[in-house]
């Protein structure tokens, strides 16, 4: 086990100790001001922007003689990052059944993903190295709970003003030919909802402020638990009442989103939390879950929301496409099982024929994105077994390492990670879902080091030297 780095003998010049404090503002500003970043057109780009000062502050602290702690199991994450980089070498390969394209044409999207993975790595290390005096865990939990409120508000915005959108300041600064590209639009152009024909006719599906309806649903599941933890930790009745009211209100946009993955994710979240509480001897949680489920069932059946649910269950238009893309991803994995292809590919044609393609009149007829229908399939296809093992190994190790943490933060953080594992079957993680996953990991990590000094000593074995 590596020993933490000691201060140089005699300290810094003139006996003055260098500043090794990590300020909270890089993390706090991302989370607390996210609606502002979204409106400005920065959105997910804010993670890359803030990674620069976070990296500088971490290096300054390290150069001042303080050890830089790395997350437990970080070797798994390094394996994943190495696989992402190495797999770029396969960008020029055109797997069977995909549209041919020069590797340089695929490079911008791949560079973006790599930059985001690195930025979120910095975020995780920075958040994990913050002390209670620099950023209390309770405050970080409040920020995450606040973002659930933002998610619910964005859901209602998408419901009542589905066509709401505007040109952001960042978008205005971009050249016309660049800002009109679909990929760039998804990053810098704020809009309230995605308009899609799922149950007959174009209908708005909440997306704000996360860019996509699927990302909105993913973040809904990842953030829901933090609102309750923040409210109960506050000890104030008003905060608890608001949290319960917000959760009840969130049912409406959650149902209207027509997002079956979200519905499954909430079920996984509730089931996991209930099991953790029962194992801790708090059997009363079974009664609470039973009453909540009964109330939810009555609320849905007694309102028009029931019709929305039935309509969605009767219209599984995406099932065939998802199955088709899973098959293509697995076929591609068998052709390049170790490092994958560096990124996604577009299929040649559609499910019925290779002559069918995407068009203005039928955007969902063909040329589907292999690896765009779930993080697991993207990992297998884009980064092969090496990247998949590294990614799953890191978060899986974290769940095992901190499995005995029965605190509210520990249960909520592990529940978020468990939910993210189920979401991998149909949701992609970049960028905000993965950000909330690494922050959940950082909270588990900090919870262990703060509660048990011996855990900090073992964690310091992962410190840079």
């Amino acid at each position: 086990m590596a020993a933490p780095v000691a201060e140089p003998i005699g300290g810094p010049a003139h006996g003055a100790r260098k500043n090794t404090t990590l300020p909270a503002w890089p993390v706090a500003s991302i989370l607390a001001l996210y609606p502002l970043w979204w409106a400005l057109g920065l959105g997910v780009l804010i993670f890359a922007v803030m990674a620069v000062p976070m990296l500088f502050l971490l290096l300054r602290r390290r150069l001042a003689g303080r050890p830089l702690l790395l997350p437990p199991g970080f070797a798994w994450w390094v394996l994943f990052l190495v696989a992402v980089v190495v797999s770029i070498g396969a960008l020029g390969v055109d797997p069977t059944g995909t549209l041919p394209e020069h590797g340089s044409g695929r490079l911008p999207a791949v560079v973006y993903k790599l930059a985001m993975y690195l930025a979120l790595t910095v975020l995780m290390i920075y958040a994990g190295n913050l002390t209670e005096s620099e950023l209390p865990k309770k405050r970080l939990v409040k920020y995450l709970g606040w973002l659930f409120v933002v998610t619910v508000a964005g859901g209602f915005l998408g419901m009542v003003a589905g066509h709401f959108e505007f040109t952001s300041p960042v978008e205005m600064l971009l050249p016309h030919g660049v800002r009109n590209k679909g990929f760039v639009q998804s990053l810098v152009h704020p809009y309230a909802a995605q308009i899609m024909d799922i149950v007959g006719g174009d209908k708005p599906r909440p997306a704000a402020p996360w860019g996509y309806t699927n990302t909105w649903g993913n973040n809904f599941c990842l953030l829901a638990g933090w609102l309750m933890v923040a409210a109960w930790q506050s000890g104030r009745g008003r905060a608890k009442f608001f949290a319960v009211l917000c959760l009840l209100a969130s049912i409406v946009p959650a149902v209207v989103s027509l997002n079956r993955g979200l519905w499954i994710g909430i079920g996984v979240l509730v089931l996991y939390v209930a099991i953790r509480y029962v194992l801790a001897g708090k059997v009363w949680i079974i009664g609470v879950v039973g009453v909540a489920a009964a109330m939810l069932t009555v609320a849905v059946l007694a309102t028009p929301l029931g019709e929305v649910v039935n309509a969605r269950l009767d219209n599984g238009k995406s099932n065939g496409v998802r199955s088709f893309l899973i098959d293509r991803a697995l076929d591609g994995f068998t052709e390049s099982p170790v490092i994958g292809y560096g990124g996604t590919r577009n299929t040649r044609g559609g499910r019925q024929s290779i002559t069918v393609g995407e068009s203005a009149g039928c955007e969902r007829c063909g040329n589907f994105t292999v690896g765009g229908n779930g993080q697991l399939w993207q990992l297998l296809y884009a980064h092969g077994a090496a990247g998949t093992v590294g990614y799953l190994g890191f978060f899986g190790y974290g769940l095992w390492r901190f499995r005995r943490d029965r605190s509210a933060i520990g249960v909520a953080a592990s529940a978020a990670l468990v939910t993210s594992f189920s979401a991998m079957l149909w949701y992609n993680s970049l960028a905000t879902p993965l950000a909330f996953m690494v922050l959940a990991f950082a909270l588990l990590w900090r919870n262990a080091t703060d509660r048990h000094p011996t855990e900090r000593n073992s964690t310091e074995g992962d410190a840079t030297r």
Side-chain angles (χ1 to χ4, degrees), residues 146-411:
W146 150 250
L147 284 179
F148 180 74
V149 177
V150 170
T151 302
V152 175
F156 278 104
L157 176 63
M159 285 176 53
V160 302
H163 293 276
F164 174 76
E165 60 179 304
F166 59 93
T167 302
S168 71
V170 170
E171 188 178 359
M172 293 178 185
L173 297 174
L174 297 176
H176 183 77
V178 173
R179 71 185 187 191
N180 286 337
K181 294 183 180 296
F183 174 68
V184 176
Q185 284 276 298
S186 69
L187 298 177
V188 301
H189 185 75
Y191 51 87
Q194 288 186 278
I195 310 300
M196 305 175 71
D197 180 4
I198 300 293
V199 295
D202 291 340
K203 298 184 183 300
R205 302 180 66 198
W210 309 119
Y212 296 99
T213 297
N214 282 347
T215 306
W216 184 89
N218 199 350
N219 288 342
F220 186 105
C221 296
L222 288 168
L223 296 170
W226 296 120
L227 177 66
M228 300 305 297
V229 175
W232 257 254
Q233 285 185 340
S234 72
R236 298 194 298 269
R238 183 179 300 178
K240 296 177 183 179
F241 174 78
F242 174 79
V244 173
L245 183 63
C246 184
L247 283 177
L248 291 174
S250 71
I251 295 173
V252 179
V255 172
V256 173
S257 71
L258 304 174
N259 200 325
R260 293 172 299 175
L262 163 59
W263 304 345
I264 294 172
I266 290 298
V268 172
L269 177 67
V270 172
L271 179 62
Y272 176 80
V273 172
I275 291 174
R276 287 294 304 269
Y277 270 72
V278 169
L279 292 177
K282 301 176 181 179
V283 184
W284 52 263
I285 193 67
I286 298 177
V288 173
V289 172
V291 171
M295 293 176 60
L296 176 61
T297 301
V298 171
V300 171
L301 295 179
T303 66
L305 294 178
E307 298 177 6
V308 176
V309 173
N310 290 331
R312 182 64 182 99
L313 296 179
D314 291 338
N315 289 272
K317 293 182 178 180
S318 63
N319 293 345
V321 175
R322 287 186 178 278
S323 297
F324 172 72
L325 290 176
I326 290 173
D327 289 341
R328 297 290 78 75
L330 294 177
D331 289 344
F333 173 71
T334 58
E335 293 180 20
S336 181
V338 179
I339 64 170
Y341 301 103
T344 58
R345 299 290 191 274
N346 291 328
T347 61
R348 188 191 299 272
R351 291 178 292 156
Q352 307 301 327
S353 171
I354 63 172
T355 63
V356 178
E358 179 180 344
S359 66
C362 186
E363 296 181 354
R364 298 170 62 84
C365 288
N367 302 142
F368 304 116
T369 303
V370 184
N373 62 313
Q375 185 69 12
L376 177 60
W377 318 118
Q378 183 169 121
L379 289 170
L380 289 170
Y381 191 80
H383 311 303
T388 305
V389 170
Y391 186 98
L392 297 180
F394 176 70
F395 289 110
Y397 176 80
L399 284 171
W400 176 256
R401 172 79 173 250
F402 304 117
R403 66 190 182 282
R404 294 187 177 89
D405 188 344
R406 297 180 178 179
S407 67
I409 289 179
V411 173

Side-chain angles (χ1 to χ4, degrees), residues 4 27 31 75 77 82 99 110 126 140 144 161 170 190 206 213 222 250 257 281 291 302 312 405 437 440 453:
V27 176
L31 304 179
W77 190 250
V82 170
L99 292 175
V110 171
Y126 193 91
L140 181 53
L144 293 171
V170 170
T213 297
L222 288 168
S250 71
S257 71
V291 171
R312 182 64 182 99
D405 188 344
M437 289 168 62

